[in-house]
């Protein structure tokens, strides 16, 4: 699920979420519009605040909805597999 959709479904205002995350509303707006990706730290905060309903993977890799190994052909130039990225993000 996209973060913006999640906010709308929960009835949470962007300003309130930005305050909760600890970022400027304009920064959250850029993340929600897809103009920028959040840092790993911010993505982790969002995952924690949403109780895992929005994951770091959702935020950092929004175009990948399923593991690359299950897609017909991986994107050219991709070095890390879905599982390896997930493992790295878990630290």
């Amino acid at each position: 699920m996209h973060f913006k959709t999640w906010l709308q479904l929960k009835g949470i205002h962007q300003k309130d979420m930005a305050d909760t995350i600890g970022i400027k509303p304009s920064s959250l707006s850029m993340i929600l519009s897809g103009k920028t990706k959040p840092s790993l730290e911010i993505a982790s905060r969002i995952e924690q605040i949403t109780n895992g309903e929005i994951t770091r993977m959702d935020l950092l890799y929004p175009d990948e909805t399923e593991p690359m190994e299950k897609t017909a052909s991986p994107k050219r130039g991709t070095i890390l597999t879905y599982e390896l990225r997930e493992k790295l993000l878990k630290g």
Side-chain angles (χ1 to χ4, degrees):
M1 174 182 302
H2 291 284
F3 189 27
K4 187 172 186 174
T5 303
W6 185 89
L7 289 172
Q8 292 169 341
L9 289 173
K10 297 292 183 177
I12 300 172
H13 295 279
Q14 290 183 24
K15 183 188 180 319
D16 295 333
M17 180 54 77
D19 290 342
T20 302
I21 297 168
I23 60 175
K24 295 178 184 179
S26 59
S27 297
L28 180 58
S29 179
M30 297 287 281
I31 292 167
L32 294 173
S33 68
K35 292 181 181 175
T36 62
K37 290 186 181 182
S39 66
L40 179 56
E41 179 183 345
I42 297 300
S44 295
R45 278 191 223 157
I46 293 169
E47 183 176 44
Q48 183 178 16
I49 290 166
T50 64
N51 293 316
E53 291 183 52
I54 302 298
T55 68
R56 291 174 283 185
M57 294 299 287
D58 293 331
L59 296 161
L60 298 173
Y61 303 99
D63 297 330
E64 296 183 27
T65 56
E66 51 183 77
M68 290 187 64
E69 288 75 20
K70 293 184 180 179
T71 60
S73 60
K75 293 180 181 175
R76 183 181 166 126
T78 301
I79 298 170
L80 299 175
T81 63
Y82 180 89
E83 285 80 14
L84 184 53
R85 281 193 297 260
E86 181 109 3
K87 183 178 177 182
L88 290 170
L89 287 172
K90 289 180 181 177

